[in-house]
Amino acid sequence: GDSVTQMEGPVTLSEEAFLTINCTYTATGYPSLFWYVQYPGEGLQLLLKATKADDKGSNKGFEATYRKETTSFHLEKGSVQVSDSAVYFCALSDHQGNDKIIFGKGTRLHILP
Amino acid sequence: GAVVSQHPSRVICKSGTSVKIECRSLDFQATTMFWYRQFPKQSLMLMATSNEGSKATYEQGVEKDKFLINHASLTLSTLTVTSAHPEDSSFYICSASPAGVYNEQFFGPGTRLTVL
C-alpha cells in the first residue's frame, strides 16, 4: 500500500541554519503531497502542498519540490528561526475517492537561539 | 480560511465512563470528516472516515462499538469513546473536507483525553 517515509528526529539546529527534512513516498497512483506542521499542544496545520510533478510548494520560507523520478518531497528552509520548532509531517493523498491522507511518522525540530 | 474546532480541548474521566468529543467546521460545510488518534511522539493514525448522513468507515483494528462516530450534519461530527480505559488515553484529532473541494482537509486543534 501507499506509504510515506521521513527522516527520524529529533533534528536540532541553531537559529539561521539551513534545514532539510527528507521525505520519500510509495504510491501506486499519482498522489498529491503535503507537509503539515504541529506546534506544541496544537493540531496540524497545512504548511505547503504540491499536486503534480515538479510543482514547488512554498510557505513561510519553507519549500518542497515534488520529484516524481526520485519519489521525494524534501522540506527545506534557508534560515530557520526558534519559532519554527515543531513537529513536521510529510503526507500524501492517494486520490482514492475518499481523500484519505497517509502521514509519515513526523520529524521533531528543535531550533536553538 | 477554513476553521475546524474541537470540544473539549482537554478531558479527564474515570475508567468505565463514556466521553464525547465534538468536531465542528465553523465556516464551511464538510461532507467528509476524519478522526485520527495520535500517540506520544508518533504520527497520526486514521481511525475512521465519516460522511454526513451515513455510517462511518472504520480502519482495520479500530473497534466500531468502542469508538462511536456520528456525522449528523454538514458541520458536526462526534466521536464517543465508550467505557473508556486508561489505554484509550491519547490525543484525538479531527479533520474536515469542504464540500466540493477535492483533496483538502482542515484539522481541528485536537482533544487530549486522559482516562484515570
Side-chain angles (χ1 to χ4, degrees):
Chain A
D2 295 352
S3 66
V4 175
T5 303
Q6 61 183 105
M7 61 189 293
E8 291 190 21
V11 173
T12 302
L13 296 172
S14 297
E15 203 166 24
E16 299 183 3
F18 183 86
L19 168 71
T20 300
I21 301 178
N22 290 336
C23 172
T24 57
Y25 67 91
T26 302
T28 52
Y30 204 150
S32 292
L33 303 174
F34 308 87
W35 277 99
Y36 285 87
V37 58
Q38 184 178 32
Y39 297 101
E42 299 183 14
L44 269 69
Q45 301 175 28
L46 177 65
L47 180 60
L48 53 85
K49 69 177 182 180
T51 57
K52 61 182 187 296
D54 299 326
D55 265 4
K56 178 186 283 187
S58 61
N59 185 26
K60 299 181 181 179
F62 290 90
E63 293 182 341
T65 301
Y66 191 144
R67 300 289 188 198
K68 188 168 171 60
E69 64 276 13
T70 55
T71 61
S72 65
F73 193 54
H74 305 320
L75 182 68
E76 296 182 336
K77 186 173 184 180
S79 177
V80 293
Q81 306 299 313
V82 173
S83 57
D84 294 327
S85 298
V87 181
Y88 292 81
F89 293 93
C90 186
L92 69 82
S93 177
D94 59 6
H95 304 304
Q96 293 299 313
N98 59 6
D99 283 348
K100 185 185 295 188
I101 292 180
I102 298 168
F103 289 89
K105 291 188 175 181
T107 302
R108 186 173 297 275
L109 175 65
H110 294 292
I111 305 300
L112 303 175
Chain B
V3 179
V4 175
S5 70
Q6 282 184 241
H7 178 79
S9 58
R10 190 179 293 267
V11 56
I12 300 172
C13 69
K14 293 182 178 180
S15 186
T17 61
S18 295
V19 175
K20 179 184 285 188
I21 302 170
E22 292 185 349
C23 176
R24 292 182 185 273
S25 56
L26 298 185
D27 50 3
F28 65 96
Q29 293 185 326
T31 49
T32 306
M33 287 185 169
F34 303 83
W35 286 96
Y36 296 85
R37 183 174 179 177
Q38 186 180 29
F39 295 96
K41 299 183 179 181
Q42 293 190 28
S43 188
L44 281 72
M45 180 192 78
L46 179 64
M47 299 174 66
T49 302
S50 75
N51 291 294
E52 186 264 338
S54 61
K55 289 184 178 180
T57 301
Y58 290 81
E59 295 298 301
Q60 192 171 11
V62 178
E63 298 175 62
K64 60 182 67 177
D65 293 331
K66 180 164 187 63
F67 297 101
L68 300 178
I69 291 172
N70 183 279
H71 191 164
S73 78
L74 286 173
T75 59
L76 173 65
S77 176
T78 60
L79 167 67
T80 301
V81 183
T82 62
S83 186
H85 290 282
E87 57 265 31
D88 298 325
S89 298
S90 192
F91 195 53
Y92 292 88
I93 300 175
C94 74
S95 70
S97 276
V101 176
Y102 183 64
N103 205 26
E104 185 93 56
Q105 287 185 33
F106 297 94
F107 286 79
T111 297
R112 172 75 60 193
L113 170 64
T114 302
V115 184
L116 302 177

